Structures are given as C-alpha cells and as structure tokens.
Amino acid sequence: MFEPDKSTYQLNDGNQMPILGFGTYKIAKPDLMNQTIQSAYENGYRMFDTAQYYRNEKMLGDAIRNLSVPRQDVFIIDKVTEMNQGHDLTINSTDFSLQQLGTDYVDLLLVHWPIADKFFETWEAFEELKKQGKARSIGVSNFTRSQLELLKTQADEMPVVNQIETHPYLNQAPLIKFDKKQSIVTQAWSPLGRGAVLDNPMIGKMAVHHGKTPAQIILRWDIQRGISVIPKSQNPERIAQNADLNFELSDDEMSMLDVMNRNQRTGNEPELVYEWGKQYKQFKK
Ligand SMILES: NC(=O)c1ccc[n+]([C@@H]2O[C@H](COP(=O)([O-])OP(=O)(O)OC[C@H]3O[C@@H](n4cnc5c(N)ncnc54)[C@H](OP(=O)(O)O)[C@@H]3O)[C@@H](O)[C@H]2O)c1
C-alpha cells in the first residue's frame, strides 16, 4: 500500500525519507511556488527538492511556512552547487541556504555534482555539517559507481542517498544495484525524462490497461524497483496524478519497462561535470 504522506524508506543513518518528493527546478515565481507547494502538500507530498543552483530556496522556504505546518512535517532536500564546493565555501554557502530557506536544518543535503579537485574536501564539510545538525542526512547526486568507490577510501560516513537521472530510457540498473549493495537509496531526478518518455506506445498501453496515465506507470515502476522519485509539475491535476500511485504493475510489465533503456540522457554526463574547470578549458583550445 503506497501512501504519499506516510510511505518512507529507511536510510542507513537511521533517518526515514519519504518515497515521493516534489521537484522545484524552474519553479521561479513566488505565486507559482506557493500554489504548487500548497497543492503538493494537499495531495500528500511531504518532501521538497531544491538546490542552490535553482535560485528558489527563499521562495520554497516562504511557501513551506505558508502551509503553517510543523517543521518536522516536511522533508527538505537542498544541494550544494559546483561553484560553492570546497571546504569553506560548502560550509558558508550552506549557512546562506539555511537563511534563505528560513530553517535551522535541511533534512538531506546533497553534493549536486561531483567535482574532481574539490571531491574530498566538500565531503569533509558535509560530514561536519551533519555533526553540527545543519543537515540531518548527507548524500550525493550524479555520482557514478567509481566516484562512490573513490569517496569510500576517505569518507568517515558514506552518503545515504544518490540522486541520479533515471527514467525508462536511462534505467541505470547497474548503478541502482550498486547503490543498494552499499545501503544507499537511489532517488530519481527527471523520472519522467522531462516528458520525453510519456509518448512511448508500450507505456501508453499499460496506462490504458490500468486506467492510469503514462506518468503514473513510470512512477509506479520506480517505486516497485525500490527507488525514490521527485517528479515536478506546475499543474494541479498532474501534481495530484503523480502522487496517486496505489496500484500494482505485474512482473511482466516491470520487465517490459526494464528493457526500454536507450542510455538516453536529458541532462549532463556526470564524467564531464567531474572535470569541471579542466576539461572544458581543454575543449576551448
Ligand atoms: N540532481 C540533479 O542534478 C537534478 C537535475 C534535474 C532535476 N532535478 C530535480 O528533479 C526534479 C524533477 O525533474 P525535472 O523537473 O527535470 O523533470 P520531470 O519531473 O521528469 O518532468 C517534468 C516535466 O514533465 C511534465 N509533467 C509532470 N507530470 C506530468 C504528468 N503527470 N503528465 C504529463 N506531463 C507531466 C511537467 O510539466 P508541467 O509542469 O506542465 O506539469 C514538466 O514539463 C526537478 O524539478 C529537480 O527538483 C535534479
């Protein structure tokens, strides 16, 4: 039984994280933020995903306060952007993010993208922020298996979440399997492939069969393969739809979705971002 406001995953640090969250990328106007967060909360979403890069932390913080619910009723995810990585910048930029959000802590703080020359010092700062209680849980985003293995050589504690791009055209099966072995919960960003997978005819047929929409089929597939999802919508009907996932896909349907992979990304290739500031300069020569 999936209940958006109650169903959680157990994280390896002892905390619980909602399975379903709400993405806020490109929601950049206060009115729209208020409407979408209100609508999401009413439909059972309790987790809200922002990032320093989105420049909407203050709007999200205000919208959450406008809900007039206790702070512990919501789970806030924030991410430290590439520009703010390194030890001191990570600490200082997180303090600024907390100010913007109007809260003493985030529930989950993520390294937005791995950066080669700031790799270990950024994580050291994350471990300090956790000890100080400014981040209840710490995790990463867009980390590959090799980057997680590298992190393990120096980390005192490992990330509890890896937020990565995954949808039927980029199923990331090996990385999700690896995350699971390491007790890391995988969270899907762009779970709907920013719309690119919604007109797949096979997914369309499954949707008709279940009396659901293609988006619901995809999000249900994610939940059944044991990962967390943070779909974004600014449309009240679709916000409601994306939280209404209490149905079951058969093993055959799960297998059909598993084999749609095309290694097709909508976002950046993590290995290129990792060399940020190095590789790009070489390209310019
Ligand atoms: N860690 C990272 O590097 C990273 C990168 C990208 C994104 N993210 C996070 O992940 C969140 C989700 O990813 P995303 O926003 O890129 O893409 P997404 O959630 O895969 O797709 C959003 C798009 O799909 C449409 N949509 C949503 N629900 C729908 C439905 N039921 N039926 C039809 N269309 C639907 C939305 O349009 P409407 O709004 O008009 O409904 C929007 O155009 C972001 O908002 C952000 O919080 C993280």
Side-chain angles (χ1 to χ4, degrees):
M1 169 99 175
F2 173 77
E3 294 176 283
D5 58 340
K6 293 195 184 71
S7 301
T8 58
Y9 286 129
Q10 174 74 51
L11 301 178
N12 202 30
D13 58 9
N15 294 330
Q16 300 276 328
M17 180 180 79
I19 292 178
L20 175 72
F22 185 74
T24 66
Y25 184 40
K26 296 200 170 154
I27 300 183
K29 289 195 177 128
D31 282 355
L32 184 61
M33 185 65 91
N34 277 321
Q35 284 159 26
T36 53
I37 297 303
Q38 178 79 39
S39 165
Y41 190 85
E42 282 166 6
N43 282 288
Y45 296 76
R46 293 293 178 267
M47 178 161 70
F48 301 97
D49 178 79
T50 183
Q52 294 172 346
Y53 177 75
Y54 304 167
R55 295 178 185 275
N56 62 8
E57 293 161 299
K58 183 167 182 329
M59 275 174 236
L60 176 63
D62 291 344
I64 289 174
R65 252 184 319 284
N66 289 340
L67 294 173
S68 302
V69 298
R71 169 66 183 87
Q72 64 270 21
D73 277 15
V74 295
F75 188 106
I76 303 177
I77 307 176
D78 206 345
K79 315 186 199 78
V80 174
T81 194
E82 294 88 286
M83 297 260 289
N84 290 338
Q85 289 190 31
H87 180 273
D88 293 357
L89 275 172
T90 295
I91 302 273
N92 295 339
S93 69
T94 301
D95 280 338
F96 185 66
S97 291
L98 292 175
Q99 243 180 53
Q100 294 286 298
L101 284 161
T103 180
D104 297 338
Y105 68 93
V106 288
D107 296 274
L108 175 64
L109 187 68
L110 302 177
V111 179
H112 203 153
W113 290 86
I115 299 296
D117 58 357
K118 305 282 173 60
F119 193 75
F120 291 112
E121 44 167 322
T122 300
W123 190 250
E124 210 177 294
F126 267 57
E127 291 175 336
E128 284 175 32
L129 287 162
K130 178 159 186 269
K131 281 200 188 93
Q132 292 165 6
K134 292 177 180 174
R136 293 268 162 101
S137 293
I138 50 176
V140 294
S141 178
N142 300 303
F143 272 47
T144 61
R145 174 182 176 149
S146 350
Q147 287 155 349
L148 287 167
E149 279 173 338
L150 180 63
L151 191 63
K152 208 174 186 180
T153 63
Q154 291 194 29
D156 287 336
E157 54 183 295
M158 282 296 278
V160 292
V161 170
N162 189 13
Q163 186 186 108
I164 56 171
E165 179 181 351
T166 177
H167 42 73
Y169 291 165
L170 182 71
N171 76 21
Q172 301 263 32
L175 182 53
I176 293 173
K177 193 170 163 199
F178 177 77
D179 283 353
K180 203 169 268 173
K181 263 200 190 144
Q182 303 293 315
S183 303
I184 296 171
V185 172
T186 303
Q187 185 168 66
W189 66 256
S190 292
L192 309 175
R194 293 187 178 149
V197 290
L198 296 175
D199 58 1
N200 179 286
M202 184 67 82
I203 297 177
K205 276 190 193 159
M206 289 182 207
V208 171
H209 175 71
H210 286 276
K212 297 285 176 189
T213 66
Q216 289 171 306
I217 298 292
I218 295 166
L219 297 171
R220 182 65 213 184
W221 168 65
D222 281 328
I223 291 177
Q224 280 184 226
R225 64 187 182 132
I227 73 174
S228 165
V229 286
I230 48 167
K232 171 258 164 191
S233 177
Q234 51 193 57
N235 172 299
E237 238 170 70
R238 293 196 281 266
I239 291 173
Q241 215 182 83
N242 295 347
D244 175 15
L245 303 174
N246 204 14
F247 63 101
E248 190 86 23
L249 294 172
S250 68
D251 290 348
D252 279 353
E253 288 169 323
M254 288 297 291
S255 308
M256 280 188 257
L257 284 150
D258 286 343
V259 297
M260 284 180 193
N261 187 45
R262 300 174 180 176
N263 292 323
Q264 182 181 312
R265 286 185 186 275
T266 67
N268 285 327
E269 162 61 55
E271 286 299 336
L272 290 182
V273 182
Y274 186 58
E275 296 296 334
W276 190 72
K278 286 186 188 168
Q279 201 152 333
Y280 290 150
K281 270 185 209 151
Q282 285 169 10
F283 285 149
K284 276 183 196 157
K285 272 183 191 169

